[in-house]
Amino acid sequence: MNNAAVGSLILACCCVAQCWWRKTKDRRKEIKLRKKYFKGKLKEQNFNQEEAEKTRLFTEKQLKDATDNFDEDRTIGKGGQGTMYKGMLSDGKLVAVKRSSSLDETQWKEFINEVIILSHVNHRNVVKLLGCCLETKTLHLVYEFIPNGTLSDLLHSPNKEFRVTWDIRLRIASEVAGAIAYLHSSSSAPIYHRDIKSSNILLDHKYVAKVCDFGISRSTSIDQTHVTTCVRGTFGYLDPEYFLSNQYSEKSDVYSFGVVLVEILTGQKPMRVTLDDATSLVMQFINLTDDSAIYEMLDPIILASNHMTDDIMVVVNLAKRCLHPEGVGRPTMMQIAMELACLSKKTHVKVAASSEENISDPSNDFIFPENHIDETYSF
């Protein structure tokens, strides 16, 4: 190799090294600016030290260590929005780490804004967002780990040894409604979920409902009146009014919750696809006016509680109100939550009274078998 060739090779190596050094320097600068912005937003919102520590910034190394470098064996859920991994932090705490799409630099500020808001949502029926990682182009979100699968799993892949009775279903519906009402009305800025569905309702080891997946791993849009996400939602759950107006509101969440209520009542999926066509469960449900026809659609398990028939019909009518074609005709989530809470309390009293009469009936107890735990997320 002549001197000119050697010189050219050295020059090329120097250029590559300089380019790598410059990119590394720029990347470190970007990360530093993100962290500075993150801490600045915490101070701007007047969070004290204790509150600020609730929103953690995880390093890329911490998340790799927690998930064995995102090993496939740690996967607990996959979907169009990313992959969820089960992880364990250095202190032994179990977490769910979501890795999804990347954002460009113009979207990072919005992402950080929403992370801060949602990480301070404090409700027993909302999955806790513990923090995020700002060191990578790919989004990494860290949630508390919920061990017992989803409401979709419970309804559509039931355990034969575990009967999902009416009182259990009503309690879960009431918990979900209360969580969404809290997001709409009680947090610092109203939050619209925009992707409410049974697979976004997790269940803990006691089958307590936990609403999850607010869509912050997608591109976000924040204004001064509410927090929302640029989610198109899920087929079968989307508000038909949204298709016409392209305007999402709290009543759109109400419609999606109405679909979940129909799932709870019937034990069937929102869309049933056959070789001939796709049938909408919701359209079939809202078009029924005869009580006997409605009873035929209901899950036989809940009809086994004959003394609950009136309460079941109350929820049937509530679901129809939620599914009104126009948002103005639907109740608010707060109204729904109050109605379901009262009904759930009354049902619990009935179940307790029935248990005293027939204490040997296991279907009336809130005791759940350990062998039904399923460490799977579906989203």
Side-chain angles (χ1 to χ4, degrees), residues 365-377:
D365 295 330
F366 281 153
I367 300 175
F368 306 102
E370 293 296 330
N371 62 353
H372 190 65
I373 293 179
D374 176 15
E375 296 182 350
T376 303
Y377 288 1

Side-chain angles (χ1 to χ4, degrees), residues 128-139:
K128 184 68 177 175
L129 176 66
L130 303 178
C132 65
C133 177
L134 300 180
E135 296 183 357
T136 61
K137 290 185 177 180
T138 303
L139 299 182

Side-chain angles (χ1 to χ4, degrees), residues 141-185:
L141 298 162
V142 182
Y143 298 90
E144 64 173 323
F145 180 74
I146 310 298
N148 213 11
T150 69
L151 177 60
S152 179
D153 298 331
L154 189 67
L155 294 175
H156 307 310
S157 303
N159 186 322
K160 293 180 180 179
E161 298 178 4
F162 177 57
R163 297 175 70 250
V164 191
T165 56
W166 171 243
D167 47 328
I168 295 172
R169 298 183 195 217
L170 181 58
R171 176 181 55 78
I172 291 174
S174 178
E175 290 169 346
V176 174
I180 301 170
Y182 165 80
L183 294 173
H184 284 188
S185 308

Side-chain angles (χ1 to χ4, degrees), residues 9-144:
L9 181 60
I10 292 173
L11 181 62
C13 290
C14 289
C15 290
V16 170
Q18 185 177 18
C19 182
W20 175 86
W21 178 83
R22 186 176 299 165
K23 284 185 176 181
T24 301
K25 183 180 178 182
D26 290 344
R27 187 66 187 157
R28 288 174 178 171
K29 185 178 179 181
E30 288 174 5
I31 294 170
K32 188 175 180 180
L33 288 173
R34 290 176 187 173
K35 291 182 177 179
K36 183 178 179 181
Y37 179 80
F38 184 90
K39 293 177 181 177
K41 292 301 293 184
L42 289 176
K43 290 182 179 179
E44 182 182 309
Q45 297 189 31
N46 296 317
F47 291 134
N48 58 39
Q49 184 64 28
E50 183 180 350
E51 290 175 323
E53 289 176 355
K54 292 179 181 178
T55 308
R56 290 183 59 181
L57 281 181
F58 293 89
T59 65
E60 184 178 12
K61 183 179 184 306
Q62 283 177 314
L63 299 188
K64 284 184 175 181
D65 289 345
T67 60
D68 291 336
N69 199 22
F70 297 98
D71 191 285
E72 284 192 9
D73 291 339
R74 293 294 192 108
T75 302
I76 52 176
K78 284 187 177 182
Q81 308 304 332
T83 303
M84 190 78 79
Y85 299 86
K86 181 180 179 181
M88 179 182 288
L89 301 179
S90 58
D91 61 2
K93 183 180 180 65
L94 291 177
V95 294
V97 181
K98 185 174 182 181
R99 182 167 69 171
S100 54
S101 60
S102 60
L103 292 178
D104 60 43
E105 287 307 308
T106 62
Q107 296 172 310
W108 269 103
K109 287 186 178 181
E110 294 178 343
F111 169 72
I112 290 172
N113 288 345
E114 193 166 355
V115 165
I116 290 172
I117 290 171
L118 294 184
S119 63
H120 287 78
V121 168
N122 186 21
H123 192 282
R124 71 185 296 267
N125 299 118
V126 175
V127 173
K128 184 68 177 175
L129 176 66
L130 303 178
C132 65
C133 177
L134 300 180
E135 296 183 357
T136 61
K137 290 185 177 180
T138 303
L139 299 182
H140 290 85
L141 298 162
V142 182
Y143 298 90
E144 64 173 323

Side-chain angles (χ1 to χ4, degrees), residues 199-233:
S199 58
N200 275 343
I201 299 167
L202 303 181
L203 302 169
D204 72 7
H205 64 288
K206 291 186 177 180
Y207 288 77
V208 173
K210 303 271 188 176
V211 177
C212 73
D213 201 351
F214 299 89
I216 64 173
S217 60
R218 312 167 182 92
S219 56
T220 60
S221 175
I222 301 179
D223 60 32
Q224 295 180 348
T225 59
H226 66 276
V227 180
T228 185
T229 55
C230 298
V231 185
R232 284 189 168 82

